[in-house]
Amino acid sequence: MSLVFAGVCSHAPGITGRAHLADPAVKDEFHAQFHRFGEAMRATKPDAVIVIAAEHFANFFMNNMPAYAIGMADRYEGPIEDPKWLGIEARTIPGDAALSQRLIREVMQTVDVAYAEEWKFDHGIMVPLNFLTPNFDTKVIPVNINCQGPPLTPLHRAWAFGEALRRACDKAPERIALVGTGGISHWPATPDSGKVNAEWDAEFMRRWCANDREALLSQVDYNDEATYREAGQGGFEIRTFLSVAAAARGKGEIFHMKAIPIFAVTCTAAVMSVA
Amino acid sequence: MSLYAMQKFLFALNRDAEVQRRFAEGGDTRTALLAGYDLNDEEREAIGTGDIGKLYVLGCNGQLLMHFAPLLGIAWADYLEAMREGVRKYGPVRAGIYAMTTGTDEKVAGV
């Protein structure tokens, strides 16, 4: 078994880019828990970290949108956004093309995944890495689930993708960490930015922590129409959380789950045991 | 396909330094740049004048629009207000998945 860490976290650009606009005490508490989340990951001494993000048209556009894509390069660049706007300076991030290729070959046994030998990281990966690997010195395998341009992959397929990633990790001798980024309820980049649905978030994370597959894949609660209505278009990113739960198979523990309006999201960091 | 063309332009602008240069140069260079996209007059004008509110109402994906604002030198609070102003002037969002669900006088982000 080579999956050594699993977790989920927020990736909103405001977390770093608008940190100076938040109540310092509230921001400091979240950043401290986000750093603790990173320390927990680094304590497992991963050779590489797979970051499942919901990227935001940094690499893929609607002329050819893969439901799933995995990076397959030895180095990546980021952030694609203005570094001053994001609060993270531009840099090169190490990858592992050979490991990526092995993972992709195994995932392809059950899920049709696109590969990409070029990948520019946007805030979906850069903001988490800022806390996970502050020196940006751990190899990253970027993964995207399309959560931006409908039609979106069905939830049960996001689950199957997580299972496929787990099988792929189990076949690799490397120690691999897995982090899903995005969600939970939010209305980013709209005038509603800052709004969240705290009850919806709490219930979703309760189900996530319990790793309750049936509840997480509820077609009543989390179909696209219901998610959009209750949790905004940002809620579509729960797909990354589902994949992590499917891969980890364990139980979750929340480090932080509190809305910070200027960051436009319920700021979340949670780990899950690998079972 | 106009909404698609607008979004494709914003996609190119967000990630391509040469597109940014041609847009920033303005004048005939900007006109020629925009002529490469299948836009109607309303859309071309909204892009050309940096009318964030109009682009939001026309349905541009917020993850694309969000980056146009700092490129124009618009701060976060002003970006949010520009979208609210767009809804006041032009009515509700007409397409896409980035509809507004709060009032134009609400500031849920605190700014």
Side-chain angles (χ1 to χ4, degrees):
Chain A
M1 184 184 294
S2 57
L3 185 66
V4 296
F5 176 85
V8 294
C9 61
S10 301
H11 68 214
I15 293 168
T16 50
R18 295 191 294 281
H20 60 291
L21 297 178
D23 177 336
V26 172
K27 181 264 292 180
D28 288 347
E29 170 62 14
F30 173 47
H31 278 206
Q33 291 301 323
F34 213 154
H35 281 298
R36 182 180 156 226
F37 177 80
E39 287 159 13
M41 189 199 82
R42 295 195 298 280
T44 65
K45 301 194 180 308
D47 297 309
V49 53
I50 298 173
V51 181
I52 308 176
E55 73 109 62
H56 314 82
F57 301 123
N59 302 276
F60 308 107
F61 192 61
M62 292 173 275
N63 56 353
N64 189 1
M65 178 61 77
Y68 309 97
I70 299 180
M72 196 169 74
D74 283 328
R75 60 192 62 81
Y76 303 96
E77 293 171 11
I80 195 162
E81 296 95 344
D82 178 352
K84 284 182 187 150
W85 181 82
L86 190 60
I88 299 175
E89 64 183 75
R91 64 185 78 229
T92 299
I93 301 98
D96 188 333
L99 172 58
S100 283
Q101 186 170 137
R102 281 185 275 124
L103 295 173
I104 291 163
R105 284 180 185 278
E106 177 54 35
V107 168
M108 278 179 167
Q109 293 296 323
T110 54
V111 177
D112 297 320
V113 62
Y115 66 80
E117 294 197 49
E118 289 182 47
W119 196 304
K120 289 185 177 9
F121 292 177
D122 72 15
H123 65 267
I125 292 179
M126 293 303 283
V127 169
L129 287 184
N130 185 65
F131 298 91
L132 287 165
T133 62
N135 298 320
F136 292 82
D137 50 2
T138 301
K139 291 175 177 175
V140 175
I141 311 285
V143 175
N144 180 50
I145 300 176
N146 169 31
C147 301
Q148 292 298 323
L152 308 174
T153 189
L155 301 182
H156 70 276
R157 295 296 296 161
W159 192 273
F161 181 60
E163 291 179 331
L165 281 172
R166 174 60 184 269
R167 281 195 302 274
C169 290
D170 285 350
K171 287 195 172 181
E174 289 89 347
R175 299 175 63 81
I176 299 173
L178 177 66
V179 175
T181 85
I184 2 184
S185 75
H186 59 313
W187 283 255
T190 73
D192 301 344
S193 179
K195 173 181 166 184
V196 301
N197 183 340
E199 284 181 24
W200 191 92
D201 291 340
E203 176 58 18
F204 178 81
M205 286 306 292
R206 188 191 66 74
R207 297 177 186 193
W208 187 83
C209 286
N211 209 330
D212 187 340
R213 179 182 185 278
E214 190 177 349
L216 287 169
L217 300 185
S218 166
Q219 272 307 301
V220 174
D221 296 335
Y222 301 126
N223 68 70
D224 285 357
E225 187 183 346
T227 297
Y228 182 68
R229 183 180 65 244
E230 300 294 331
Q233 82 283 354
F236 293 147
E237 295 174 343
I238 58 171
R239 283 162 177 75
T240 67
F241 286 34
L242 299 182
S243 292
V244 169
R249 304 176 191 151
K251 303 296 182 193
E253 177 193 351
I254 294 170
F255 283 12
H256 194 276
M257 183 178 66
K258 181 179 177 185
I260 303 179
I262 193 65
F263 295 169
V265 72
T266 294
C267 293
T268 310
V271 297
M272 182 173 273
S273 60
V274 177
Chain B
M1 291 294 283
S2 285
L3 175 57
Y4 177 79
M6 267 193 301
Q7 296 185 124
K8 189 163 186 186
F9 167 74
L10 291 174
F11 172 69
L13 186 72
N14 289 344
R15 67 199 310 280
D16 188 331
E18 177 62 10
V19 175
Q20 290 171 12
R21 186 195 66 74
R22 293 172 68 195
F23 184 80
E25 193 172 317
D28 292 345
T29 305
R30 181 183 292 183
T31 301
L33 170 68
L34 295 178
Y37 295 85
D38 185 17
L39 304 167
N40 64 35
D41 291 343
E42 183 182 37
E43 295 159 348
R44 192 174 297 106
E45 184 184 351
I47 290 172
T49 58
D51 189 343
I52 293 289
K54 173 62 79 65
L55 294 170
Y56 173 62
V57 166
L58 291 176
C60 286
N61 186 292
Q63 295 292 347
L64 294 164
L65 200 55
M66 181 170 71
H67 300 299
F68 190 30
L71 200 123
L72 295 170
I74 299 172
W76 183 249
D78 298 331
Y79 163 68
L80 298 180
E81 187 55 31
M83 289 188 287
R84 293 184 196 109
E85 182 60 22
V87 172
R88 284 185 208 108
K89 274 173 73 176
Y90 308 116
V93 172
R94 300 175 199 171
I97 59 170
Y98 278 65
M100 183 174 179
T101 62
T102 56
T104 55
D105 57 347
E106 288 184 68
K107 297 193 174 187
V108 281
V111 293

